[in-house]
Amino acid sequence: MQFLPELISYLLLGAGTGILAGLLGVGGGTVIVPALVFIFAAHGFPSEYVQHMALATSMASILFTSISSLRAHHARGAVDWAIVRRITPGIMLGTLLGAWLAAQMSSQLLKMIFIGFAYFVAVQMLLNLKPKASRQLPQTPGLLSAGGAIGVFSSFVGIGGGTLSVPFMTWCNVQLHTVIGTSAALGFPIALAGTAGFVVNGLRIESLPSPSVGFVYLPALIGIAVASVFTAPLGARMAHALPVTKLKKLFALMLIAVGTKMLTGML
C-alpha cells in the first residue's frame, strides 16, 4: 500500500502525457522527464541519479506508447518502411552510445542539456519554425549518420526522437503525412535501444531505489505506460474540437516555465 499514492501520481502523469501527445503531437518525453525529476526528488531519490532515472523511465514508457502510435500510422499507410530499415541501425547504435555517455555524465549536466532542449522546443512551437524542403534523402551512409546523431541526442533528453527526425525528413523533402508516420515508427527502436542502454548501465549502481531495473523505476513505468496508452486516443479526438494552434503556444510557455524552474533549482 505504501506505493499507492506514488502510483496514482504516475497514472495521472501518464494520463496527461497521453492526452497531450494525442492533442498536440508532442513527444511524451518533454512532459515525462521534468515531471519525473520533480516527483523523484520529492521522494528523496539519490540526487546524483534523479535525471538518469527520469530519462531511462521516459524511454521505457515510449516502448509502449510508440507501438500503438506505430500501428495507427501503419494502418493509414503513412510509414515509409524503406526509410525505417535504412536509418534504424544508425539510430540504435547512436541511442546505445548516448545511453552509455549519459550514464557517465552528472545529473546536473544532463539537466542543463534537457533545459536547453525544452527552450529549443518552446521557441520552435511559439514561432512555428519548420525547415524548408531543400534536398533529397541522403544515401544509406548519410542516413546512418543522421540516425546516429538522432539516437545520441534522444538518449540525452529521454525522447522518442520525433523532435529531430521530423525536421530532418521534412528538410529532405519527405511528404508530411509520411514524415509523421515514419517518425512514429522510429520511436520504437530509439526506445528499445535507449531502455536497454540505461538498464545495463544502471545495473552496477546499488543505491538506486527499489523496485528498479537499472535506471528504470518500475512503478513510474507501469503507471505512465498504462494510463498514456488509454488517453492518447482521447487526445487525438480532442484535437478536432479544440484550438490546437493556441494550445501549442500555451504548451510552449509551460515548457519555458518548467525549464526555468529546473534551472533556478540548480542555482
Side-chain angles (χ1 to χ4, degrees):
M1 292 298 291
Q2 61 178 337
F3 288 120
L4 186 57
E6 193 179 345
L7 183 59
I8 290 173
S9 68
Y10 299 134
L11 287 168
L12 291 173
L13 172 58
T17 299
I19 289 173
L20 284 171
L23 178 61
L24 304 180
V26 297
T30 55
V31 179
I32 293 170
V33 172
L36 288 182
V37 166
F38 296 137
I39 294 172
F40 289 168
H43 283 87
F45 288 10
S47 59
E48 64 269 33
Y49 299 122
V50 161
Q51 190 73 20
H52 300 79
M53 294 184 70
L55 296 176
T57 306
S58 175
M59 277 287 192
S61 71
I62 293 169
L63 271 174
F64 298 91
T65 56
S66 65
I67 291 174
S68 58
S69 178
L70 184 161
R71 291 177 62 186
H73 286 290
H74 174 68
R76 295 180 176 88
V79 179
D80 189 325
W81 289 106
I83 295 176
V84 173
R85 284 192 296 271
R86 291 168 63 199
I87 200 172
T88 290
I91 273 181
M92 294 194 73
L93 287 173
T95 309
L96 284 169
L97 174 62
W100 179 80
L101 290 171
Q104 317 310 312
M105 295 179 185
S106 69
S107 195
Q108 295 291 88
L109 177 56
L110 287 172
K111 281 182 182 178
M112 289 300 301
I113 293 172
F114 186 87
I115 290 166
F117 168 71
Y119 286 149
F120 168 76
V121 172
V123 170
Q124 190 180 47
M125 294 178 77
L126 282 171
L127 302 180
N128 196 29
L129 298 177
K130 296 178 182 176
K132 293 182 179 179
S134 56
R135 56 162 299 157
Q136 299 301 308
L137 280 169
Q139 297 300 312
T140 298
L143 273 181
L144 290 174
S145 299
I150 291 169
V152 168
F153 192 76
S154 296
S155 288
F156 288 172
V157 293
I159 61 170
T163 306
L164 301 174
S165 60
V166 167
F168 170 70
M169 287 185 282
T170 301
W171 179 50
C172 293
N173 216 27
V174 180
Q175 291 185 349
L176 182 59
H177 79 283
T178 304
V179 164
I180 295 170
T182 306
S183 175
L186 293 175
F188 184 78
I190 288 174
L192 183 63
T195 301
F198 278 115
V199 165
V200 170
N201 285 284
L203 287 175
R204 58 185 171 80
I205 300 170
E206 297 180 356
S207 60
L208 296 177
S210 178
S212 298
V213 179
F215 284 119
V216 178
Y217 187 58
L218 294 180
L221 170 60
I222 293 168
I224 293 168
V226 168
S228 61
V229 166
F230 282 106
T231 57
L234 173 61
R237 289 195 295 271
M238 291 168 63
H240 297 285
L242 297 174
V244 173
T245 302
K246 291 182 179 178
L247 289 173
K248 278 191 174 183
K249 294 186 185 301
L250 287 174
F251 179 74
L253 294 174
M254 186 193 79
L255 272 182
I256 292 173
V258 167
T260 302
K261 181 170 177 57
M262 291 179 72
L263 182 61
T264 54
M266 296 173 59
L267 302 177

